[in-house]
Amino acid sequence: MRRSKLILCMILIFGFSTGCAHYLENAALKNIKPESGYRYKNISPGDNSDSLFVILTFSGGGTRAAAFSYGVLEKLRDTTIIWEGKEKRLLDEVDVISSVSGGSFTAAYYALRGDKVFTEFEGRFLNENIERALMTQLFYPANWFRLASPHYSRIDIAARYYDEHVFDHATFDDLRRKKPFILINATDMTLGSRFEFTQDQFDLLCSDMSGYPVARAVAASSAFPGLLSPVSLVNHAGKCGYREPGWVGNALRDRDIARARFARASQVRSYRDGKERPYIHLLDGGIADNIGLREPMYSLWSTDCPWSLLRMINLKKVHKIAIIVVNAKNETASAIDKKESPPGLLETLNVVANAPMDNYSFETIDLLQKGLDQWARDDAARKSCEKAIRQSCPQAALPGAAPHEVKFYPVVIGLDAIPDEKERRDLKNLPTSFSLPRKDTDRLRAAAGKLLDEAEGFRRLRSDLK
């Protein structure tokens, strides 16, 4: 009887303590320190040159996306180039990786471990049944009590698992302070806009992200609505002496002139009101941008971005820009159009969640291509005008300095470009999950390397870098 009472007492004490479980809060920041924290300007270039600027974007799509993006890293590792008189791997010239959801696992692991990703990532994540492991966590009594707390949810269990079994308790302070710079993207539930895990973003919350677990950022980036709950952050705004960038105030006065800039400034300003928004809740980054391309595009068209490519171009630091979009979008065969009865709840939710993301991704890629085409037309128009003026008046010249010439290499690879019909159908019908057989992850890796090798933009890039 005494032993039973002791065991019961211990269970009650354990249950009470775990029932008060709380998600890991992001730390407050006392003072803004631009010279510290995970920011682009604090990343060492090492042997990486700004003159050749390579951007990778990794899409969402669970393990399918992780394997597809991993195959691209392998291909870039095996591609030798000559740039500025030096022979090197093209992988060593990658400057920025912008990732979403499943692609964030690959990007984050590479940011932490560098080339060790090629010996560790398969065993740590790619060929592990992560889905089953997460389900198993729900059978642990300790987690029953934790989930009884209103401040602890399914996403915290997932983040805890990633932290222990994939990322070895690494924080953003552990990320390698050399290129590439990693943008792990989530979605702000209230704004429906991108939220990136960089110190520049955390400055808005007066929060220090140096001790924040990388696993929680990846968990937020891959928190698919319905399956996983949001990751929550505490907004400490107003306590660190943050000074708003000048462009924000200017943009808020120019609503009718530059609506996109106004919208971005409004989002920035919203984080500064800690009383109105004391908590920020984050979901899967694919909701706002499922291919991770929006921020690189913003960097290319605006000097407001903390790592503005446009500013680097204006300073004549960049000569060639390669943007490689790795889109692991699938197309699972559906029988809903073959039945008279309306689709069920799960089928409907799947369409509601995925169709808008896929359409938005297509439009984003189209917008990038149109922007680059316009850039080329503007450059050609100026050259044509200069030639015409010199023919009639050799001493005349157009006002202003000639724009710095940059050569662009847009590359988009996706499963729909696989030439073999059976292989294309098989890989496009792989589910969006965190569990795939090794034979399928191997096929995805091989397909990624082959598609990249055959992409027209990539062929031009390799030819120009010989």
Side-chain angles (χ1 to χ4, degrees), residues 219 378 393 457:
D378 291 345
C393 182

Side-chain angles (χ1 to χ4, degrees), residues 335-378:
I336 60 175
D337 291 335
K338 297 179 180 179
K339 298 184 294 184
E340 181 180 5
S341 57
L345 178 61
L346 292 179
E347 290 175 313
T348 302
L349 288 175
N350 183 58
V351 172
V352 170
N354 288 294
M357 290 193 292
D358 294 338
N359 292 334
Y360 188 58
S361 297
F362 174 82
E363 291 178 358
T364 301
I365 293 172
D366 188 52
L367 185 61
L368 171 66
Q369 189 59 61
K370 287 179 178 177
L372 296 181
D373 290 344
Q374 185 61 51
W375 192 304
R377 285 194 296 269
D378 291 345

Side-chain angles (χ1 to χ4, degrees), residues 87-148:
E87 184 176 280
K88 58 176 68 175
R89 307 177 308 173
L90 185 51
L91 181 61
D92 297 326
E93 278 293 323
V94 174
D95 296 87
V96 173
I97 303 179
S98 177
S99 66
V100 178
S101 197
S104 290
F105 284 90
T106 310
Y109 204 93
Y110 180 57
L112 280 166
R113 305 290 286 166
D115 276 5
K116 290 183 179 179
V117 69
F118 301 116
T119 57
E120 299 175 354
F121 190 60
E122 292 178 62
R124 278 295 186 87
F125 180 83
L126 210 55
N127 295 321
E128 285 293 306
N129 192 330
I130 302 296
E131 206 161 278
R132 182 175 61 193
L134 293 179
M135 289 295 295
T136 301
Q137 297 294 307
L138 297 177
F139 291 97
Y140 292 163
N143 285 331
W144 300 347
F145 291 110
R146 291 190 180 101
L147 290 173

Side-chain angles (χ1 to χ4, degrees), residues 194-214:
R194 288 178 49 261
F195 183 100
E196 65 184 40
F197 283 83
T198 64
Q199 187 56 55
D200 289 303
Q201 180 87 56
F202 269 56
D203 281 351
L204 299 174
L205 311 180
C206 281
S207 180
D208 181 2
M209 72 176 296
S210 61
Y212 197 74
V214 172

Side-chain angles (χ1 to χ4, degrees), residues 120-303:
E120 299 175 354
F121 190 60
E122 292 178 62
R124 278 295 186 87
F125 180 83
L126 210 55
N127 295 321
E128 285 293 306
N129 192 330
I130 302 296
E131 206 161 278
R132 182 175 61 193
L134 293 179
M135 289 295 295
T136 301
Q137 297 294 307
L138 297 177
F139 291 97
Y140 292 163
N143 285 331
W144 300 347
F145 291 110
R146 291 190 180 101
L147 290 173
S149 168
H151 307 297
Y152 199 91
S153 58
R154 298 186 305 279
I155 194 64
D156 298 301
I157 291 178
R160 184 188 181 98
Y161 178 85
Y162 303 153
D163 192 45
E164 293 178 352
H165 299 278
V166 181
F167 296 109
D168 284 336
H169 306 288
T171 67
F172 276 86
D173 204 37
D174 296 317
L175 289 181
R176 297 180 307 151
R177 287 300 194 268
K178 67 176 185 177
K179 290 184 177 181
F181 182 60
I182 308 296
L183 296 170
I184 298 175
N185 297 287
T187 299
D188 184 320
M189 283 186 67
T190 298
L191 302 178
S193 60
R194 288 178 49 261
F195 183 100
E196 65 184 40
F197 283 83
T198 64
Q199 187 56 55
D200 289 303
Q201 180 87 56
F202 269 56
D203 281 351
L204 299 174
L205 311 180
C206 281
S207 180
D208 181 2
M209 72 176 296
S210 61
Y212 197 74
V214 172
R216 288 192 69 81
V218 174
S221 182
S222 57
F224 194 80
L227 294 178
L228 291 167
S229 47
V231 167
S232 299
L233 298 175
V234 178
N235 190 354
H236 304 282
K239 304 174 183 177
C240 62
Y242 176 81
R243 297 182 65 181
E244 188 176 80
W247 72 265
V248 175
N250 294 334
L252 291 174
R253 291 189 291 270
D254 294 338
R255 178 173 185 169
D256 296 328
I257 299 174
R259 291 185 176 273
R261 195 173 186 232
F262 171 84
R264 190 175 183 103
S266 299
Q267 293 164 7
V268 170
R269 181 67 65 83
S270 76
Y271 292 110
R272 302 304 306 138
D273 192 344
K275 293 182 179 179
E276 183 65 25
R277 301 192 67 193
Y279 302 98
I280 309 300
H281 303 288
L282 306 174
L283 275 175
D284 194 304
I287 300 171
D289 174 14
N290 199 39
I291 51 176
L293 183 56
R294 300 299 291 197
E295 187 66 7
M297 285 175 54
Y298 175 61
S299 170
L300 189 57
W301 312 135
S302 173
T303 57

Side-chain angles (χ1 to χ4, degrees), residues 298-318:
Y298 175 61
S299 170
L300 189 57
W301 312 135
S302 173
T303 57
D304 299 335
C305 179
W307 58 281
S308 172
L309 253 179
L310 181 58
R311 186 184 303 114
M312 295 182 216
I313 292 171
N314 292 339
L315 294 173
K316 300 183 179 181
K317 291 183 176 181
V318 181

